[in-house]
Amino acid sequence: MATAANLSRTQDLSCSDEEWQARVELAACYRIFDHLGWIELIFNHITLKVPGSRDHFLINPYGLWYNEVTASNLVKIDLEGNIVGHSDWPVNPAGFVIHSAIHAARADARCVMHTHTTSGIAVACMEDGLSRDNFYGSIIGDDVAYHDFEGVTCDDDEKPRLVAAMGNRNHVILRNHGLLACGDSVATAFIRLWRLQRACDVQLAAQQSGQKLISLGQDIVERSDAATRNFEGNQARMEDRVFEAMVRKIDRIDPSYRN
């Protein structure tokens, strides 16, 4: 997705070119979330595995707004939450509990995103969870897991239960808590979370209408899933197109995330 020109360094940070590229992408994603309103003061997280490392990942500095995150101030930590190298900022313990559990268990989960949007939490509070009876819900189909709320996530003891509940699914509704999505790239995780968020938005709007809703059959859900996987003949290319477009928008607003 990225080119050498738009990933050129503007800060002297001791890391590989591959890590710098990952930092720029992740910082851009934080700014995209801020633009979309997917923020919760200084809380919540998007994490990304450091290229070439099995147990290091990047996370936002605890205390900064998403619109203050930059490539150079992202914090590198290990799976135990220890800061690797230098950082002027700490990390939120609740962040690395959820995210490190998934990164450790799923080699394909290079990027993990978690939000507390209003409609996301509202659907997470519903006993029946996410409906498949709208455009976005039908695309997600059966690729959604549910994990019961156990309180604020600060206890390592919860990790195996979260991983078991998630299985190999890529969309997660944390009951009474919020939304989560993962992917093998920032672009893939982003489009998954965007669809999950849109499914929640539409579901709440439809339910609030008070009208009888139209149910979709399993054959339609399967057709929607297949069509999405084969979009443009390569779903990854579509995901990159979307993320690239969002990055261009952020560049026009404030490119300081590249610092």
Side-chain angles (χ1 to χ4, degrees), residues 194-256:
W194 180 78
R195 286 185 186 131
L196 185 56
Q197 178 63 45
R198 289 291 290 139
C200 291
D201 292 341
V202 174
Q203 178 175 332
L204 287 184
Q207 290 172 336
Q208 289 168 6
S209 73
Q211 301 295 310
K212 184 176 180 179
L213 303 182
I214 302 169
S215 296
L216 298 179
Q218 181 64 25
D219 60 327
I220 299 299
V221 172
E222 292 175 357
R223 190 181 307 168
S224 293
D225 175 63
T228 303
R229 290 177 186 275
N230 297 317
F231 197 79
E232 291 191 58
N234 182 348
Q235 184 176 204
R237 181 56 188 139
M238 178 271 291
E239 294 161 352
D240 285 346
R241 286 186 195 275
V242 171
F243 193 74
E244 288 167 6
M246 294 303 299
V247 170
R248 291 196 303 273
K249 180 179 282 291
I250 297 304
D251 276 331
R252 290 193 293 270
I253 296 170
D254 179 8
S256 65

Side-chain angles (χ1 to χ4, degrees), residues 114-146:
H114 171 47
T115 59
H116 284 182
T117 59
T118 300
S119 59
I121 295 178
V123 171
C125 291
M126 295 179 177
E127 186 174 350
D128 290 338
L130 188 72
S131 170
R132 303 188 305 178
D133 296 333
N134 67 63
F135 181 86
Y136 299 102
S138 71
I139 291 174
I140 294 170
D142 296 325
D143 188 31
V144 59
Y146 294 86

Side-chain angles (χ1 to χ4, degrees), residues 19 23 26 30 45-51 53-60 74-84 91-92 95-104 109-112 159:
E19 179 178 330
R23 284 175 171 272
L26 184 58
Y30 275 102
H45 311 280
I46 315 165
T47 55
L48 180 63
K49 276 190 176 180
V50 175
S53 171
R54 296 183 59 183
D55 58 0
H56 291 169
F57 59 98
L58 301 169
I59 193 169
N60 52 316
L74 286 163
V75 184
K76 187 191 304 187
I77 61 176
D78 63 22
L79 291 173
E80 284 71 50
N82 301 306
I83 293 176
V84 179
V91 296
N92 183 347
F96 73 77
V97 168
I98 292 177
H99 291 247
S100 65
I102 299 170
H103 283 302
R110 290 191 61 249
C111 184
V112 180
K159 288 183 177 182

